[in-house]
Amino acid sequence: MSVATQSFEFRAEIQQLLNILVHSLYTDREIFLRELVSNASDALHRLQFEMLTTKDVVDPDAELAIRIKVDKDARTITVSDTGIGMNHDEMIENLGTIAHSGATAFLNALKEKGSISTDIIGQFGVGFYSVFMVADKVSVTSRSFRPGDQAYTWTSTGSNSYTIEPAEKTSRGTDIVIHVKEEADEFLSEFRLERIVKKHSNYIAFPIYVGDKVANAQTALWRRSPREVSDQEYLDFYKQLTYDPGEPFLRVHQVSDAPVQFYSLLYVPSTMDRGLFQPDYEGGPRLYARKVLIQEHAKDLLPQWMRFVEGVVDSEDLPLNISRETVQANRVMAKLKSALSSKLIGEMEALAEKDPDKYGRFWKEFGRVLKEGATTDALNRERLIGLLRFHTSRDSEGWVSLKQYVERMAEGQDEIYYLFGEDLKSIARSPHLDVFKSRGIEVLFLTDTIDSFMINAVPEFQGKKLHNGADAELELPAGKEPEPQGEALPAEDFNALVERFKKVLGERVSDVRESKVLTESPARLVSPDKGFGADMERVYRLLDKEFPAPPSRILELNPRHPLIRNLSAMGDDALVDQVAEQLFESALLLEGIHPNPADMVPRIQALMEAATRRE
Ligand code: ADP
Ligand code: MG
């Protein structure tokens, strides 16, 4: 080691990651090349971007390219680029000391699943280290694009440390020399490497030379006419862009001249939470202005709720000197946004129309963000409402659209009814359903947290108001009242019972009264004012466990229910008070707003004891 050589330890999580990569026998080791090429391509894109604002760079005229060479005798593969390069500190930062939450996330995924395909390592932001699947030593020599910076070489054998020393490199960019392990001989072949490039890196925008030949197609797929691109090409491009092992739900290729010129190729991926693996997940397509990559994740190109959409947008109308900061305020961006989102929604509508089953699967995956869209995206709200799907009292498994709901409304019905609940099972048991069941009226079941917000943003559909079925004052279609079941308590007895309930429950209810609508259930809770329903209360509780007691509700009792009749017959038995308490708390539970259901257990046990007593 020369005097100028410095030695460093890798961070602990990188050491662990390396240990696994070095010692495991992976079948997909070839992806190491894709990761190095992808880094080289990033470095070239970043250089291009820098050169928009400064010409003062090392080798301003060097070809922007990636070169791969094999030396069979020395047993090395060299991957070089003329990209942005790294200086001393950047090497330490990027290849060793950066706090890699991605490495930790990758290790966790590995632990959870037992084994994991290294195919997705790039998603975790630690793709570089995959080179140690095939190398027993790697050296990275890099010269930054900044004229004043000295070149350095970073070297590691994949153990716990690496070294950095000054280097002689005078040209701009990075050379990565891979000393190939004995077990990885197969990669010491230009033919093999060329095939890997075609398979995994075909759409990289810069020429990739393997030996003297360019190996990649290098076409900007999105700039070709949609008629000329095959399904397979679209799929390959998608996989190279996203590492998604699944197939995308939708793909939208747009080439437009007016009102704004652009090419775009966008995809809705196979699942919603692909990005969750990535600790610093950022959504949004890549944005190119005249083929120069301006932003890796252009969040402002699409409405926020469309953050799951991936792909590429490329416009000749964006000024080249646009910076990452001014993108947001640009007029062309606003036009792009409206054209892109409108087209994407159009494709969703077409899918819903043509293939409801597939749309159902799409909805299951992305329904929540579409609801977010209906809530927050005023420009597209009308169309998004048409895309909403619900489980309902008539179809608790399928997905019902509002259009379908309205088409099969009961005679005389002129509102759309919904009920909130913790989950489908508890809504199906809700006492609020009684009245709808007995009149054959369908009810939307809402169980997502976002639903309460969405309902506020979507007051009506086709002129039909959306109305909470738990509302105290419902006006249901006339003439459809069902025959009352069983005999009602005489008014005198019922009133006595109501007074007893009031005494027991005190401040916890604002009133106790007779229900005009219950048939199967003994009791229910309704809110006296419409402002603060159980749905919002549930949301607040989710956000804040200590949420204070809500404005008290009205307890309604069913005078025909056997339980209520029995209670009345029990006179002043102390058990009546216990049952009153329990009825109230059960109602809270069914509303999904019981603060602590376990508290009910002692009382339930006491009641069971009374019920099982045999004198
Ligand atoms: P990611 O590419 O997701 O950031 P990697 O592990 O592949 O993660 O690379 C780590 C970092 O090393 C890159 O972000 C980049 O800063 C730096 N790097 C790697 N290869 C090169 C290269 N050829 N030129 C310049 N910088 C590079
Ligand atoms: Mg990378």
Side-chain angles (χ1 to χ4, degrees), residues 313-595:
V313 178
D314 182 352
S315 173
E316 296 280 320
D317 287 351
L318 279 171
L320 256 185
N321 63 3
I322 192 164
S323 75
R324 289 180 170 97
E325 291 71 39
T326 56
V327 155
Q328 202 174 354
N330 189 277
R331 224 165 24 85
V332 178
M333 286 293 282
K335 286 191 189 153
L336 284 173
K337 186 171 176 174
S338 113
L340 294 170
S341 56
S342 171
K343 178 79 176 177
L344 273 164
I345 294 173
E347 291 296 316
M348 294 173 194
E349 290 166 341
L351 181 66
E353 184 79 35
K354 271 188 280 182
D355 191 345
D357 282 348
K358 187 169 175 197
Y359 185 77
R361 291 197 301 279
F362 165 79
W363 176 261
K364 208 164 160 235
E365 201 58 42
F366 295 97
R368 249 175 241 199
V369 273
L370 265 72
K371 287 177 184 174
E372 186 186 322
T375 311
T376 57
D377 185 353
L379 280 179
N380 294 307
R381 179 167 301 135
E382 277 312 305
R383 294 173 74 191
L384 284 169
I385 292 174
L387 287 170
L388 298 175
R389 295 293 180 272
F390 301 90
H391 291 312
T392 74
S393 54
R394 195 182 291 188
D395 188 352
S396 63
E397 267 156 40
W399 293 113
V400 178
S401 69
L402 288 176
K403 185 159 162 264
Q404 260 173 310
Y405 179 101
V406 168
E407 275 164 9
R408 62 192 194 199
M409 286 200 321
E411 215 185 305
Q413 183 186 347
D414 55 6
E415 293 188 320
I416 297 169
Y417 297 102
Y418 58 85
L419 279 174
F420 289 105
E422 203 91 42
D423 49 53
L424 293 176
K425 273 198 186 132
S426 46
I427 303 190
R429 273 197 212 100
S430 167
H432 302 304
L433 259 187
D434 283 13
V435 58
F436 298 101
K437 270 196 219 154
S438 59
R439 290 166 203 239
I441 296 176
E442 187 168 17
V443 179
L444 309 178
F445 286 175
L446 304 180
T447 55
D448 277 341
T449 309
I450 179 103
D451 288 337
S452 328
F453 299 101
M454 180 188 73
I455 285 294
N456 279 323
V458 180
E460 57 169 59
F461 174 76
Q462 293 184 353
K464 310 270 186 291
K465 282 209 171 55
L466 273 74
H467 202 141
N468 191 340
D471 200 323
E473 319 294 338
L474 281 178
E475 283 178 34
L476 294 171
K480 289 269 169 183
E481 288 83 0
E483 283 297 302
Q485 306 272 308
E487 207 179 317
L489 272 177
E492 210 176 309
D493 296 345
F494 184 71
N495 291 340
L497 194 62
V498 163
E499 289 312 313
R500 178 101 177 245
F501 266 71
K502 283 186 185 167
K503 210 169 106 210
V504 172
L505 298 175
E507 298 274 281
R508 285 176 286 167
V509 291
S510 62
D511 197 11
V512 180
R513 69 184 187 197
E514 181 183 343
S515 163
K516 303 257 192 286
V517 300
L518 290 179
T519 52
E520 289 165 28
S521 312
R524 70 166 184 170
L525 283 169
V526 294
S527 343
D529 58 34
K530 291 184 185 167
F532 203 84
D535 55 312
M536 279 323 269
E537 185 174 337
R538 213 172 26 249
V539 172
Y540 281 100
R541 253 182 223 296
L542 279 176
L543 299 174
D544 175 10
K545 290 265 178 284
E546 302 300 314
F547 184 72
S552 49
R553 299 203 152 71
I554 301 166
L555 182 69
E556 290 191 347
L557 299 177
N558 175 1
R560 296 174 193 278
H561 196 279
L563 176 54
I564 300 299
R565 292 159 46 99
N566 290 349
L567 279 180
S568 171
M570 283 170 75
D572 55 8
D573 193 321
L575 209 53
V576 175
D577 296 352
Q578 299 258 29
V579 174
E581 292 269 6
Q582 187 56 44
L583 264 175
F584 170 68
E585 292 205 18
S586 303
L588 283 180
L589 190 70
L590 286 172
E591 294 290 306
I593 51 174
H594 196 299

Side-chain angles (χ1 to χ4, degrees), residues 28 99 105 198 200-201 204 232 238 253 262 293 333 443 486 499 504 526 529 603:
D28 50 10
K198 281 201 201 317
H200 292 291
S201 313
I204 292 289
Q232 190 58 44
Y238 171 72
H253 188 179
F262 70 91
L293 183 65
M333 286 293 282
V443 179
E499 289 312 313
V504 172
V526 294
D529 58 34
R603 186 186 316 108

Side-chain angles (χ1 to χ4, degrees), residues 41-54 57-60 62-64 82-85 144-146 172 292:
S41 161
D42 289 348
L44 288 161
H45 274 305
R46 286 164 61 198
L47 178 87
Q48 251 184 341
F49 188 77
E50 289 294 338
M51 287 186 67
L52 296 177
T53 47
T54 174
V57 304
V58 175
D59 293 344
E63 183 191 10
L64 298 180
T82 48
I84 197 164
S144 153
F145 74 105
R146 296 179 208 90
R172 181 191 70 218
V292 176

Side-chain angles (χ1 to χ4, degrees), residues 237-238 241-242 265-267 284-288 296 309-313:
F237 177 73
Y238 171 72
L241 187 74
T242 62
L265 178 49
L266 298 178
Y267 297 88
R286 290 183 176 196
L287 174 63
Y288 293 84
E296 184 73 35
V309 173
E310 310 213 37
V312 168
V313 178

